[in-house]
């Protein structure tokens, strides 16, 4: 779930209150990640927060374009942030060649800092909003050029989702080339852990309608980017 995109606590405030402005660990991390975006596009964190809160209040997504960036293997550039609810969203970035998580994260009752990988069958359904799965569906379409990043990594240092690599990474030719060349190591699947068969099954289990157009394969190549289920502080990665 792009980025997205997962944080370890709920977003700040009560219903109607501005998001990500509280003095909590979660909101401080969100603001730190937004500072990277703000620096890339020449604005301020407050301006981005206003834009995100306005989008959430009106039920719209927010796109944050950036000038053509120099691609860097070390530091991806965030090009889009799409809120999925008041806590989670999907962040898209370009550049870099992220490593993969060694194994799927979390479990049925994960610690606060180790949310469950959405690809695990024992992950609680609905932990991430259905909208995040809709945004990230293109990472698993045949011929995809985007990759699904781990929700517990960050936009500055994304890691590829282990569950995605083990199930749908084969759809991405660049990822397959990295595996074949030895540049990327496939994660392990510990004994006793079961993953969903594919993205469609996982998304439906988490609230996406079976006939949702977002789950239908696109017939045109996707552009390079990085995304994942996340609030701007924990991505998913498409690359």
């Amino acid at each position: 779930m792009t980025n997205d995109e997962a944080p370890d606590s709920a977003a700040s405030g009560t219903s109607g209150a501005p998001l990500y402005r509280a003095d909590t660990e979660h909101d401080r991390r969100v603001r730190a990640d937004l500072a990277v975006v703000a620096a890339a596009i020449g604005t301020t964190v407050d301006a981005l927060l206003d834009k995100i809160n306005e989008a959430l209040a009106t039920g719209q997504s927010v796109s944050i374009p950036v000038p053509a960036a120099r691609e860097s293997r070390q530091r991806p550039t965030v090009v889009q942030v799409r809120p999925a609810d008041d806590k989670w969203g999907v962040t898209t970035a370009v550049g870099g060649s992220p490593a993969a998580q060694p194994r799927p994260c979390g479990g049925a009752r994960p610690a606060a800092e180790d949310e469950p990988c959405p690809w695990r069958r024992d992950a609680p359904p609905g932990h991430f909003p259905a909208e995040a799965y809709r945004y990230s569906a293109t990472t698993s379409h045949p011929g995809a050029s985007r990759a699904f990043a781990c929700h517990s990594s960050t936009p500055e240092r994304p890691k590829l989702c282990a569950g995605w690599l083990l199930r749908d990474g084969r759809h991405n030719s660049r990822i397959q080339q990295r595996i074949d060349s030895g540049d990327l190591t496939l994660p392990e699947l510990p004994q006793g852990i079961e993953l969903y068969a594919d993205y469609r099954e996982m998304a439906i289990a988490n609230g996406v309608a079976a006939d949702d157009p977002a789950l239908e394969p696109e017939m045109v190549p996707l552009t390079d980017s990085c995304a994942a289920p996340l609030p701007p502080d924990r991505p998913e990665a498409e690359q």
Side-chain angles (χ1 to χ4, degrees), residues 150-173:
C150 177
H151 65 275
S152 63
S153 60
T154 65
E156 300 88 351
R157 295 183 178 179
K159 286 191 175 183
L160 297 175
C161 171
W164 174 79
L165 271 174
L166 291 168
R167 284 295 179 262
D168 281 351
R170 67 185 183 280
H171 293 311
N172 188 307
S173 60

Side-chain angles (χ1 to χ4, degrees), residues 100-120:
Q101 290 287 21
R103 64 189 61 82
C105 299
R109 293 180 176 81
E113 70 278 4
D114 187 25
E115 288 89 356
C117 175
W119 288 85
R120 293 180 59 147

Side-chain angles (χ1 to χ4, degrees), residues 47-129:
L48 289 182
L49 285 172
D50 289 342
K51 191 171 185 178
I52 290 171
N53 277 283
E54 180 181 358
L56 288 171
T58 57
Q60 300 176 345
S61 63
V62 54
S63 295
I64 304 176
V66 298
R70 293 174 298 175
E71 190 165 294
S72 167
R73 289 181 62 86
Q74 286 74 39
R75 198 173 187 84
T77 299
V78 174
V79 296
Q80 188 179 47
V81 178
R82 290 173 289 175
D85 64 7
D86 61 358
K87 177 180 178 182
W88 294 100
V90 173
T91 295
T92 303
V94 296
S97 296
Q101 290 287 21
R103 64 189 61 82
C105 299
R109 293 180 176 81
E113 70 278 4
D114 187 25
E115 288 89 356
C117 175
W119 288 85
R120 293 180 59 147
R121 288 188 181 275
D122 63 353
H127 187 81
F128 304 109

Side-chain angles (χ1 to χ4, degrees), residues 19-68:
L19 299 175
Y20 309 131
R21 296 184 187 273
D23 189 25
T24 63
E25 181 180 356
H26 168 265
D27 284 14
R28 287 194 296 270
R29 287 206 312 270
V30 171
R31 290 194 296 270
D33 289 329
L34 285 176
V36 177
V37 180
I41 63 177
T43 188
T44 65
V45 172
D46 283 340
L48 289 182
L49 285 172
D50 289 342
K51 191 171 185 178
I52 290 171
N53 277 283
E54 180 181 358
L56 288 171
T58 57
Q60 300 176 345
S61 63
V62 54
S63 295
I64 304 176
V66 298

